[in-house]
Amino acid sequence: MSVSHAVWNGFDARGELRDSVYHRAGATLDNGAALPLLIVNISPSGLMARSTEPLAPGATLAIALPVVGRVRAEVRWALGGRVGCQLERSIPSSRYYEMLAALTR
């Protein structure tokens, strides 16, 4: 299984730092099926979440987030109930920090 980012000697080459959160979110698959997620970290352009349902790389989701509403994301990797997703559009920094504050309350 491939991972969408590289790690060299402890350096994460993902390009963006992630903020740790613990937020239960609702998501919807393209087929309309509802899926609960536990978002564990997030950045303006991606997130990692835990899912009880198996998801494959390439799957697309609509994820409900506070402040910004529903965002579309593509699963880039999946491993042991965890998924890494890339957002279709980056969240602008002004909205991102407002959303982050809501996620960490």
Side-chain angles (χ1 to χ4, degrees), residues 19 42-45 65-71 87 89-105:
D19 293 296
I42 194 163
S43 73
S45 62
L65 295 172
V67 179
V68 297
R70 294 188 86 65
V71 295
L87 302 183
R89 292 189 193 116
S90 290
I91 301 168
S93 60
S94 61
R95 309 245 8 227
Y96 176 77
Y97 291 108
E98 187 179 348
M99 176 205 64
L100 188 60
L103 288 174
T104 56
R105 284 188 195 136

Side-chain angles (χ1 to χ4, degrees), residues 40-80:
V40 296
N41 69 44
I42 194 163
S43 73
S45 62
L47 59 86
M48 184 179 79
R50 294 195 177 275
S51 171
T52 57
E53 299 296 321
L55 293 169
T60 55
L61 313 165
I63 303 168
L65 295 172
V67 179
V68 297
R70 294 188 86 65
V71 295
R72 293 195 49 78
E74 178 184 348
V75 175
R76 301 302 299 264
W77 59 267
L79 180 64

